[in-house]
Amino acid sequence: MTISVLKSKVHRAVITEANLNYVGSLTLDEDLMEAANMIEHEKVQIVNVNNGERIETYLIKGKRGSGVCCLNGPAARRGMAGDVVVIISYASMPFEEAKTFKPWVVFPKEGNRL
């Protein structure tokens, strides 16, 4: 049996922009992605603390050190600059392995910096 568990989380990043006229996804500072062990095109869930919206999309690398956290395409309708979000990715693994697995969790500072 395999189960889905938390793999990575960026806890309480701040949306820096929302770009409706883009194909889709979440652009995220590469520093945050690396610290959370997330990769480009990985499926993520975005939970908006301000309005309760929960969406699924994928990641695009943003400029390293920029602090960017941009909702793109239809996702841009689910949040706006200044909203606080939690960005989550999951992994499937055998039940016994999941019992000892430790996820990567990142708590950004002001400006979405590490």
Side-chain angles (χ1 to χ4, degrees), residues 69-96:
C69 180
C70 178
L71 293 174
N72 295 308
R77 297 269 191 214
R78 304 295 183 203
M80 55 193 247
D83 283 0
V84 175
V85 293
V86 180
I87 304 159
I88 306 164
S89 71
Y90 301 92
S92 294
M93 63 186 66
F95 183 75
E96 290 302 317

Side-chain angles (χ1 to χ4, degrees), residues 4-103:
S4 294
V5 297
L6 172 67
K7 179 188 96 39
S8 305
K9 177 168 76 166
V10 178
H11 190 76
R12 298 183 66 85
V14 176
I15 296 173
T16 56
E17 59 184 296
N19 182 354
L20 185 60
N21 297 309
Y22 189 82
V23 236
S25 71
L26 175 74
T27 303
L28 189 63
D29 183 321
E30 191 173 2
D31 282 342
L32 290 174
M33 289 175 61
E34 191 173 271
N37 199 34
M38 293 175 169
I39 60 171
E40 189 165 42
H41 306 120
E42 182 172 357
K43 180 180 177 180
V44 292
Q45 182 177 54
I46 304 164
V47 182
N48 189 321
V49 175
N50 292 72
N51 63 20
E53 291 284 351
R54 298 174 82 88
I55 58 172
E56 289 183 345
T57 189
Y58 61 93
L59 289 172
I60 291 181
K61 282 184 200 174
K63 183 178 175 187
R64 187 178 291 279
S66 66
V68 67
C69 180
C70 178
L71 293 174
N72 295 308
R77 297 269 191 214
R78 304 295 183 203
M80 55 193 247
D83 283 0
V84 175
V85 293
V86 180
I87 304 159
I88 306 164
S89 71
Y90 301 92
S92 294
M93 63 186 66
F95 183 75
E96 290 302 317
E97 182 183 343
K99 287 180 179 179
T100 59
F101 179 77
K102 300 292 181 218

